Amino acid sequence: MLRYIARRVLLLIPVLMIVAVVAFIITNVIPGDPVRLMLGDFATEAEIAAMEQKLGFDQPFHIRFFTWLSNIIRGDLGDSLFLQMPVTKAIFGRLEPTILLAIIGQLIGILIGVPLGVLAAVKHRTAIDQSAIVLALAGISVPSFWLAIMLMMLFAVNLGWFPTSGYRPVAQVGLGVIRYLILPGVSLGVMQSALLARMTRSAMLDVLKQDYIRTARAKGLNENIIISRHALKNAMIPIITVLGFSMAALLGGTWIIETVYNIPGTGALAITAILRRDYPIIQGSMIFIALVYVVVNLVVDICYALINPRVKYR
Amino acid sequence: MRQKIKLNERIKNIHPYMLVGGLLVLLVILAAVLAPVLSIHDPLTMTPRNRLQPPSAQHLLGTDEFGRDVLSRMLYGARISVQIGLTVVVITVISGTIVGMLAGYYKGLDNIVMRFLDGLMAFPEIIIAITLAAVWGAGMTNIIFAMSFAYFPRMARVVRGSVLASRDLEYVEAARAIGARNTYIMTRHILPNCLSPILVQATFCFATAILAEAALSYLGVGIKEPAPSWGGMISQGRDFMAVAPWLVNVPGIAIILAVLGLNLLGDGIRDYLDPRLQD
């Protein structure tokens, strides 16, 4: 098992290298002169030259890339152009709301999605099943930012149950932080729950067809026990895999939802950076999000091996 | 006679989702095509005197803060969404098919291409689209290419998967044995086998592209004002939500119906083409 984990961790290195290459290319393949674009029409030639030197744009492409790469390997993502601080510090300073938001979004997704999927599978081909399918389809069809505005209007502005937007750190309000994150969490979680419900339903349908379920029924076992102990446990394996993959959608969603709710997290940092072309922050945010995604999927793979004895630690 | 029975069978197999989804998609495409005919008012003309009017006989879906007709803007918004969505689908299908086909067919290429795609797929698609659109600058062409770049890895993966499944089948081997060239085998023997997953994926890609365009325009890196894009309309209407909820609701519902239609259609097509997937 330890060897399996070590091997998987080592395999991360080439993936992260590619991630770095992609992040660099995406933020550097810019038509026209990036520095001129960044500083606007009123910049003087001297200002442009100074900024070019600061960003290294006076160097050829490949030199720039290798300097940048050797820096990020040492954990140096450069300095923000606007915030007067290193990119890593800017991102770390804003981790708390993003992490909490992602956890709440994922939890809401699981708490709604898995039971809905199980219910649909158990009541296969009934009105309940059909409504669950349509509900899940509707869930992946709603733009999260629109849902966010709707929830804000209803529960914050009209009913006054939650603050309309903003955020207070845990250090100040303790558990009260949840009040700031429920609505954004639901906005993120709906898409997540819809994906999970679809996956859970089809995984459960697969499992419910198996012989051992028939055996369990034949020996007169309680249907609830069959579903929870025999079926769901085995259906969890594909569900957990989807949980890992859908993390990408969730992390992408934080960029949008944090902007809608004015939550000072890493997503809002990235969007602000994008709107004012703060390239080091944009690159750093991309690397950060890919890193989280890759690590989450590594953890999922390891869990997968732990839960499912059939996975060989090759 | 047998033909007729077969046809009846086929029609019977059409999933209700496909029907409902198809109708919704048709509605959106019709709105897009007929926008200039259907809209009574110009989507860009501002009449400050008429600002924030609730729905009335004159303006069926009300007016926005500049007195522009919301119905016309929604119809023209459909035009932008469909135009962008379709172009992204075409580019994604072509590039994804070529890359996926080559990766699946040539074993030597597979590892390199797939590792690169894995790297790309470690980024959420929406983030690649947002970043590229922002770096390249807003505008329709740029966001089309930004989104195509974000969505083609998934298409390439789907195509590669189905190429791998049919590459070693007997009839492909037979074609190889009689000396058919690789390009011939790929286009004539393997590609037809990949068409149904490509079609299904293309439908979902269309749906995702509409959602992504809306998100991009909402964030201000997509289609710029005064052009009427659904995402942009929501972003602008947000400030007037309390007094003029239709400004956010109309484009929001339009997006939901379009995307829901495409998702239903995609699910329906998938079940129809591959009955094994039907539970």
Side-chain angles (χ1 to χ4, degrees):
Chain A
M1 188 67 202
L2 270 178
R3 269 187 65 188
Y4 171 77
I5 296 177
R7 205 176 152 263
R8 288 304 318 260
V9 172
L10 280 179
L11 270 175
L12 280 189
I13 295 170
V15 174
L16 289 177
M17 284 292 281
I18 296 166
V19 162
V21 174
V22 171
F24 186 80
I25 291 176
I26 285 182
T27 40
N28 275 274
V29 184
I30 304 161
D33 187 340
V35 176
R36 236 169 254 278
L37 221 63
M38 194 168 71
L39 293 178
D41 296 333
F42 300 106
T44 62
E45 287 303 316
E47 278 171 338
I48 289 176
M51 186 55 97
E52 268 179 351
Q53 207 184 358
K54 188 179 172 197
L55 288 177
F57 275 108
D58 52 344
Q59 306 274 342
F61 189 82
H62 61 281
I63 304 267
R64 241 163 50 211
F65 175 68
F66 284 111
T67 318
W68 182 74
L69 192 65
S70 72
N71 282 342
I72 60 167
I73 288 172
R74 281 182 272 123
D76 177 10
L77 288 168
D79 292 333
S80 159
L81 301 179
F82 293 90
L83 301 173
Q84 324 297 342
M85 63 165 100
V87 172
T88 36
K89 204 178 156 204
I91 292 178
F92 277 116
R94 290 175 170 240
L95 268 184
E96 181 192 298
T98 306
I99 291 177
L100 290 178
L101 180 58
I103 291 174
I104 291 179
Q106 192 69 280
L107 271 181
I108 289 172
I110 295 170
L111 290 179
I112 302 176
V114 174
L116 191 67
V118 171
L119 189 69
V122 171
K123 306 275 179 199
H124 188 37
R125 296 197 175 183
T126 61
I128 296 180
D129 183 22
Q130 293 294 331
S131 345
I133 297 177
V134 173
L135 205 65
L137 260 177
I140 53 173
S141 306
V142 178
S144 61
F145 61 92
W146 183 79
L147 182 68
I149 298 172
M150 289 294 139
L151 292 175
M152 191 194 280
M153 261 341 264
L154 181 60
F155 293 105
V157 177
N158 290 342
L159 294 172
W161 292 356
F162 302 100
T164 44
S165 62
Y167 180 78
R168 291 265 182 84
V170 177
Q172 276 180 28
V173 289
L175 275 179
V177 73
I178 298 209
R179 290 190 60 234
Y180 293 90
L181 294 174
I182 284 285
L183 294 181
V186 172
S187 315
L188 271 179
V190 163
M191 168 83 81
Q192 210 63 358
S193 68
L195 287 171
L196 277 175
R198 279 161 73 98
M199 191 61 223
T200 306
R201 176 176 174 274
S202 69
M204 279 296 279
L205 283 178
D206 272 350
V207 173
L208 286 173
K209 275 184 217 149
Q210 302 286 325
D211 286 341
Y212 66 85
I213 298 290
R214 199 184 321 144
T215 311
R217 281 198 182 124
K219 69 180 184 186
L221 216 56
N222 182 316
E223 188 68 23
N224 289 335
I225 293 184
I226 297 180
I227 289 160
S228 58
R229 297 258 182 89
H230 294 229
L232 186 59
K233 215 170 175 181
N234 283 289
M236 275 329 274
I237 292 160
I239 297 172
I240 288 178
T241 315
V242 166
L243 220 58
F245 283 122
S246 64
M247 200 58 198
L250 191 80
L251 290 171
T254 58
W255 281 31
I256 297 167
I257 296 299
E258 282 178 9
T259 310
V260 176
Y261 281 97
N262 249 329
I263 295 172
T266 54
L269 175 74
I271 294 289
T272 321
I274 275 177
L275 293 177
R276 55 187 186 194
R277 295 176 179 273
D278 190 343
Y279 290 107
I281 295 267
I282 302 176
Q283 283 169 341
S285 304
M286 291 192 76
I287 300 237
F288 163 72
I289 234 169
L291 192 69
V292 173
Y293 176 75
V294 168
V295 170
V296 165
N297 275 290
L298 174 75
V299 173
V300 165
D301 274 359
I302 292 171
C303 288
Y304 193 98
L306 285 175
I307 299 173
N308 187 358
R310 280 173 297 185
V311 173
K312 295 242 165 63
Y313 313 130
R314 270 173 298 165
Chain B
M1 185 64 191
R2 193 180 287 163
Q3 282 263 295
K4 202 172 170 191
I5 293 173
K6 247 186 165 170
L7 191 70
N8 280 342
E9 278 280 284
R10 291 204 136 191
I11 293 173
K12 227 172 67 191
N13 278 339
I14 290 183
H15 209 278
Y17 291 169
M18 211 163 139
L19 212 67
V20 178
L23 277 175
L24 280 175
V25 174
L26 193 71
L27 209 69
V28 175
I29 291 180
L30 277 179
V33 175
L34 299 177
V37 187
L38 291 175
S39 36
I40 311 163
H41 305 273
D42 183 84
L44 302 179
T45 309
M46 300 187 185
T47 20
R49 178 162 47 86
N50 280 339
R51 70 193 295 268
L52 300 177
Q53 295 273 318
S56 63
Q58 249 279 299
H59 299 278
L60 285 179
L61 295 175
T63 60
D64 68 4
E65 77 271 30
F66 299 113
R68 294 174 300 197
D69 183 50
V70 174
L71 175 63
S72 313
R73 288 181 71 74
M74 186 202 75
L75 291 170
Y76 276 91
R79 222 178 158 84
I80 290 183
S81 285
V82 170
Q83 219 173 328
I84 291 180
L86 271 183
T87 325
V88 169
V89 167
V90 170
I91 299 177
T92 309
V93 166
I94 294 175
S95 54
T97 306
I98 293 175
V99 173
M101 178 68 81
L102 294 175
Y105 194 77
Y106 296 106
K107 279 182 187 155
L109 209 60
D110 194 28
N111 232 326
I112 305 168
V113 174
M114 288 325 284
R115 288 300 79 73
F116 183 72
L117 291 186
D118 280 348
L120 262 182
M121 286 172 89
F123 298 98
E125 289 160 339
I126 186 76
I127 279 177
I128 294 201
I130 292 175
T131 314
L132 275 181
V135 169
W136 287 344
M140 197 182 273
T141 323
N142 285 349
I143 68 168
I144 284 175
F145 279 107
M147 286 200 277
S148 306
F149 188 75
Y151 296 119
F152 100 92
R154 206 192 290 195
M155 180 64 85
R157 247 177 182 225
V158 167
V159 176
R160 169 186 172 266
S162 74
V163 172
L164 282 181
S166 56
R167 185 183 62 188
D168 296 323
L169 290 181
E170 274 151 8
Y171 68 88
V172 176
E173 223 167 286
R176 218 172 275 142
I178 58 171
R181 269 177 297 135
N182 283 334
T183 37
Y184 186 86
I185 297 177
M186 278 191 265
T187 49
R188 290 298 175 84
H189 293 286
I190 297 181
L191 187 61
N193 261 316
C194 308
L195 284 182
S196 40
I198 292 177
L199 182 65
V200 173
Q201 188 60 34
T203 321
F204 291 131
C205 177
F206 197 165
T208 329
I210 290 183
L211 276 180
E213 184 273 317
L216 258 57
S217 299
Y218 176 81
L219 291 173
V221 293
I223 299 295
K224 289 274 190 214
E225 262 289 304
S229 80
W230 289 342
M233 288 169 76
I234 294 179
S235 161
Q236 280 211 311
R238 216 194 125 168
D239 298 337
F240 304 93
M241 189 64 200
V243 283
W246 59 89
L247 292 183
V248 170
N249 292 340
V250 169
I253 290 167
I255 298 173
I256 295 174
L257 288 182
V259 177
L260 183 65
L262 284 161
N263 281 331
L264 281 168
L265 189 65
D267 269 13
I269 295 177
R270 190 185 51 197
D271 289 355
Y272 177 74
L273 291 176
D274 192 353
R276 276 168 307 173
L277 287 175
Q278 230 166 26
D279 4 85

Short mmCIF file of all heavy atoms in Angstrom, two decimals, chain B residues 61-88:
data_model
loop_
_atom_site.label_atom_id
_atom_site.label_comp_id
_atom_site.label_asym_id
_atom_site.label_seq_id
_atom_site.Cartn_x
_atom_site.Cartn_y
_atom_site.Cartn_z
N LEU B 61 -42.08 41.84 -22.40
CA LEU B 61 -41.26 41.42 -21.26
C LEU B 61 -40.63 42.61 -20.56
O LEU B 61 -39.61 42.50 -19.90
CB LEU B 61 -40.19 40.42 -21.72
CG LEU B 61 -40.71 39.07 -22.25
CD1 LEU B 61 -39.57 38.22 -22.77
CD2 LEU B 61 -41.46 38.32 -21.15
N GLY B 62 -41.22 43.77 -20.73
CA GLY B 62 -40.73 44.96 -20.05
C GLY B 62 -39.54 45.61 -20.73
O GLY B 62 -39.13 45.21 -21.82
N THR B 63 -38.98 46.63 -20.04
CA THR B 63 -37.81 47.32 -20.60
C THR B 63 -36.71 47.37 -19.54
O THR B 63 -36.97 47.18 -18.35
CB THR B 63 -38.14 48.77 -21.00
OG1 THR B 63 -38.57 49.46 -19.82
CG2 THR B 63 -39.22 48.83 -22.06
N ASP B 64 -35.48 47.63 -19.99
CA ASP B 64 -34.37 47.69 -19.04
C ASP B 64 -34.08 49.13 -18.60
O ASP B 64 -34.87 50.04 -18.89
CB ASP B 64 -33.12 46.99 -19.61
CG ASP B 64 -32.53 47.73 -20.79
OD1 ASP B 64 -33.02 48.82 -21.12
OD2 ASP B 64 -31.56 47.21 -21.37
N GLU B 65 -32.95 49.32 -17.93
CA GLU B 65 -32.71 50.65 -17.34
C GLU B 65 -32.45 51.73 -18.38
O GLU B 65 -32.41 52.90 -18.06
CB GLU B 65 -31.57 50.58 -16.31
CG GLU B 65 -30.18 50.51 -16.88
CD GLU B 65 -29.72 49.08 -17.14
OE1 GLU B 65 -30.58 48.22 -17.43
OE2 GLU B 65 -28.51 48.84 -17.08
N PHE B 66 -32.24 51.34 -19.63
CA PHE B 66 -32.09 52.34 -20.69
C PHE B 66 -33.33 52.41 -21.57
O PHE B 66 -33.31 53.01 -22.64
CB PHE B 66 -30.88 52.00 -21.58
CG PHE B 66 -29.58 51.99 -20.81
CD1 PHE B 66 -28.88 50.82 -20.62
CD2 PHE B 66 -29.08 53.17 -20.29
CE1 PHE B 66 -27.69 50.81 -19.91
CE2 PHE B 66 -27.89 53.18 -19.59
CZ PHE B 66 -27.19 51.99 -19.39
N GLY B 67 -34.39 51.72 -21.14
CA GLY B 67 -35.62 51.72 -21.92
C GLY B 67 -35.58 50.81 -23.14
O GLY B 67 -36.39 50.95 -24.05
N ARG B 68 -34.62 49.87 -23.15
CA ARG B 68 -34.57 48.95 -24.29
C ARG B 68 -35.53 47.78 -24.05
O ARG B 68 -35.73 47.36 -22.91
CB ARG B 68 -33.14 48.43 -24.48
CG ARG B 68 -32.18 49.53 -24.89
CD ARG B 68 -30.76 49.03 -24.92
NE ARG B 68 -30.31 48.52 -23.63
CZ ARG B 68 -29.01 48.33 -23.33
NH1 ARG B 68 -28.09 48.58 -24.21
NH2 ARG B 68 -28.67 47.86 -22.14
N ASP B 69 -36.10 47.27 -25.14
CA ASP B 69 -37.08 46.20 -25.04
C ASP B 69 -36.41 44.88 -24.65
O ASP B 69 -35.53 44.39 -25.34
CB ASP B 69 -37.79 46.06 -26.39
CG ASP B 69 -38.88 45.02 -26.35
OD1 ASP B 69 -39.71 45.10 -25.42
OD2 ASP B 69 -38.91 44.14 -27.21
N VAL B 70 -36.85 44.30 -23.53
CA VAL B 70 -36.20 43.09 -23.02
C VAL B 70 -36.46 41.88 -23.94
O VAL B 70 -35.57 41.06 -24.16
CB VAL B 70 -36.65 42.79 -21.57
CG1 VAL B 70 -36.11 41.45 -21.09
CG2 VAL B 70 -36.17 43.90 -20.64
N LEU B 71 -37.69 41.80 -24.49
CA LEU B 71 -38.00 40.68 -25.38
C LEU B 71 -37.05 40.66 -26.59
O LEU B 71 -36.47 39.63 -26.93
CB LEU B 71 -39.46 40.76 -25.85
CG LEU B 71 -39.88 39.71 -26.88
CD1 LEU B 71 -39.78 38.32 -26.30
CD2 LEU B 71 -41.30 39.96 -27.37
N SER B 72 -36.87 41.83 -27.21
CA SER B 72 -35.98 41.89 -28.37
C SER B 72 -34.56 41.52 -27.98
O SER B 72 -33.87 40.79 -28.70
CB SER B 72 -35.96 43.29 -28.97
OG SER B 72 -37.25 43.78 -29.11
N ARG B 73 -34.15 42.00 -26.81
CA ARG B 73 -32.78 41.70 -26.37
C ARG B 73 -32.63 40.21 -26.08
O ARG B 73 -31.60 39.62 -26.36
CB ARG B 73 -32.42 42.54 -25.14
CG ARG B 73 -32.20 44.00 -25.49
CD ARG B 73 -31.82 44.83 -24.29
NE ARG B 73 -30.46 44.57 -23.78
CZ ARG B 73 -29.36 44.97 -24.37
NH1 ARG B 73 -29.41 45.61 -25.50
NH2 ARG B 73 -28.19 44.72 -23.82
N MET B 74 -33.69 39.61 -25.53
CA MET B 74 -33.62 38.18 -25.26
C MET B 74 -33.51 37.40 -26.58
O MET B 74 -32.72 36.47 -26.70
CB MET B 74 -34.84 37.71 -24.49
CG MET B 74 -34.75 36.27 -24.07
SD MET B 74 -36.35 35.56 -23.75
CE MET B 74 -36.98 35.34 -25.37
N LEU B 75 -34.29 37.81 -27.58
CA LEU B 75 -34.26 37.11 -28.87
C LEU B 75 -32.88 37.26 -29.53
O LEU B 75 -32.30 36.29 -30.02
CB LEU B 75 -35.35 37.64 -29.81
CG LEU B 75 -36.79 37.31 -29.38
CD1 LEU B 75 -37.79 38.08 -30.21
CD2 LEU B 75 -37.04 35.81 -29.50
N TYR B 76 -32.36 38.49 -29.51
CA TYR B 76 -31.03 38.69 -30.08
C TYR B 76 -29.95 37.99 -29.24
O TYR B 76 -28.93 37.56 -29.76
CB TYR B 76 -30.73 40.18 -30.24
CG TYR B 76 -31.28 40.75 -31.53
CD1 TYR B 76 -32.55 41.30 -31.58
CD2 TYR B 76 -30.53 40.69 -32.71
CE1 TYR B 76 -33.08 41.79 -32.76
CE2 TYR B 76 -31.05 41.19 -33.90
CZ TYR B 76 -32.32 41.73 -33.92
OH TYR B 76 -32.84 42.21 -35.09
N GLY B 77 -30.23 37.88 -27.94
CA GLY B 77 -29.31 37.14 -27.07
C GLY B 77 -29.23 35.68 -27.49
O GLY B 77 -28.17 35.06 -27.48
N ALA B 78 -30.41 35.12 -27.88
CA ALA B 78 -30.43 33.73 -28.36
C ALA B 78 -29.51 33.61 -29.58
O ALA B 78 -28.79 32.63 -29.75
CB ALA B 78 -31.85 33.33 -28.73
N ARG B 79 -29.53 34.65 -30.43
CA ARG B 79 -28.70 34.65 -31.62
C ARG B 79 -27.22 34.52 -31.24
O ARG B 79 -26.49 33.71 -31.79
CB ARG B 79 -28.92 35.98 -32.32
CG ARG B 79 -29.05 35.92 -33.79
CD ARG B 79 -29.31 37.35 -34.26
NE ARG B 79 -28.96 37.49 -35.65
CZ ARG B 79 -29.78 37.16 -36.65
NH1 ARG B 79 -30.96 36.69 -36.39
NH2 ARG B 79 -29.38 37.32 -37.89
N ILE B 80 -26.81 35.33 -30.25
CA ILE B 80 -25.41 35.29 -29.82
C ILE B 80 -25.08 33.94 -29.21
O ILE B 80 -24.07 33.31 -29.56
CB ILE B 80 -25.14 36.43 -28.81
CG1 ILE B 80 -25.20 37.76 -29.55
CG2 ILE B 80 -23.80 36.25 -28.12
CD1 ILE B 80 -24.88 38.97 -28.73
N SER B 81 -25.96 33.44 -28.33
CA SER B 81 -25.69 32.16 -27.68
C SER B 81 -25.58 31.03 -28.70
O SER B 81 -24.68 30.21 -28.64
CB SER B 81 -26.81 31.81 -26.70
OG SER B 81 -26.69 32.61 -25.56
N VAL B 82 -26.54 30.99 -29.63
CA VAL B 82 -26.54 29.91 -30.62
C VAL B 82 -25.32 30.02 -31.53
O VAL B 82 -24.64 29.03 -31.81
CB VAL B 82 -27.85 29.93 -31.44
CG1 VAL B 82 -27.76 28.98 -32.63
CG2 VAL B 82 -29.02 29.53 -30.56
N GLN B 83 -25.04 31.23 -31.97
CA GLN B 83 -23.89 31.45 -32.85
C GLN B 83 -22.59 30.97 -32.17
O GLN B 83 -21.82 30.21 -32.75
CB GLN B 83 -23.77 32.96 -33.10
CG GLN B 83 -23.38 33.32 -34.49
CD GLN B 83 -23.48 34.84 -34.66
OE1 GLN B 83 -24.33 35.49 -34.04
NE2 GLN B 83 -22.60 35.39 -35.47
N ILE B 84 -22.39 31.42 -30.93
CA ILE B 84 -21.18 31.04 -30.22
C ILE B 84 -21.18 29.54 -29.93
O ILE B 84 -20.20 28.84 -30.20
CB ILE B 84 -21.04 31.85 -28.91
CG1 ILE B 84 -20.75 33.31 -29.26
CG2 ILE B 84 -19.94 31.28 -28.03
CD1 ILE B 84 -20.60 34.22 -28.08
N GLY B 85 -22.32 29.05 -29.42
CA GLY B 85 -22.40 27.63 -29.09
C GLY B 85 -22.10 26.74 -30.28
O GLY B 85 -21.28 25.83 -30.21
N LEU B 86 -22.74 27.04 -31.41
CA LEU B 86 -22.55 26.20 -32.59
C LEU B 86 -21.12 26.25 -33.09
O LEU B 86 -20.53 25.22 -33.44
CB LEU B 86 -23.50 26.64 -33.72
CG LEU B 86 -24.88 25.99 -33.74
CD1 LEU B 86 -25.67 26.47 -34.95
CD2 LEU B 86 -24.74 24.46 -33.80
N THR B 87 -20.54 27.46 -33.13
CA THR B 87 -19.16 27.56 -33.63
C THR B 87 -18.22 26.79 -32.72
O THR B 87 -17.33 26.07 -33.19
CB THR B 87 -18.72 29.04 -33.69
OG1 THR B 87 -19.83 29.83 -34.06
CG2 THR B 87 -17.62 29.22 -34.70
N VAL B 88 -18.42 26.94 -31.40
CA VAL B 88 -17.57 26.20 -30.47
C VAL B 88 -17.72 24.70 -30.71
O VAL B 88 -16.73 23.97 -30.74
CB VAL B 88 -17.92 26.55 -29.00
CG1 VAL B 88 -17.24 25.62 -28.03
CG2 VAL B 88 -17.54 27.99 -28.70
#
